[in-house]
Amino acid sequence: MHPSQSGIRRFQSDVWPLMSAQFAALANGQSPHTLVITCSDSRVDPSLITQSQPGELFVLRNAGNLVPKFGADDGSAAAVEYAVDALRVAHIVVCGHSGCGAMQGLLDPQAVRQLPTVARWVAHAASTREATSQLRGEARLDAAIMHNTTAQLDNLAGHPSVARAMAEGRLQLHAWVYDIRDGDIDDIDTRT
Ligand SMILES: [Zn+2]
């Protein structure tokens, strides 16, 4: 049996019955308070690290928690527009993390030589590569993770739905960095 199949059986037999009232309330619609944009990395679990329940977080995940500039990537832009204009979330959190493979690929093009699509994708974060070019090793990676996370707030602010909601005073942007080594979550930037 695939490991996830035994998990599904356990969910259906042990977990769902305990949460059935909660899911019944959610079955007719969602009203999440926050859009979380984080990395696809298997070690990062936004619901776990914020102790959130189903229905609370609208989540966009991709390699490197990127939101390219408006017009450069409809996939991420559609999730942002839907969260802000249809669901009217009050917060957008961009959450980077320690040891991010996408950031490693950004800083070391040799590492993604055989991964042309990944290389093209992380090129959206080229400003982070330039901004950290004076650093080396782990210090550079940690700096790049922080720089990239805040850079996404700049990109988000250029999305029309985000700009409008911020002008109306109904949306805050946050940049967090989650450290897998010790569970720390640094709130490194907030914009209102
Ligand atoms: Zn990552």
Side-chain angles (χ1 to χ4, degrees), residues 39 41 64 97 100-102:
C39 188
D41 192 294
H97 68 97
C100 183

Side-chain angles (χ1 to χ4, degrees), residues 38-41 43-44 62-65 96-103:
T38 193
C39 188
S40 299
D41 192 294
R43 300 165 296 177
V44 180
N62 59 45
N65 41 268
H97 68 97
S98 62
C100 183
M103 290 298 103

Side-chain angles (χ1 to χ4, degrees), residues 111-128:
V112 290
R113 205 181 59 244
Q114 311 287 351
L115 305 169
T117 312
V118 174
R120 261 201 318 281
W121 173 247
V122 297
H124 286 295
S127 70
T128 289

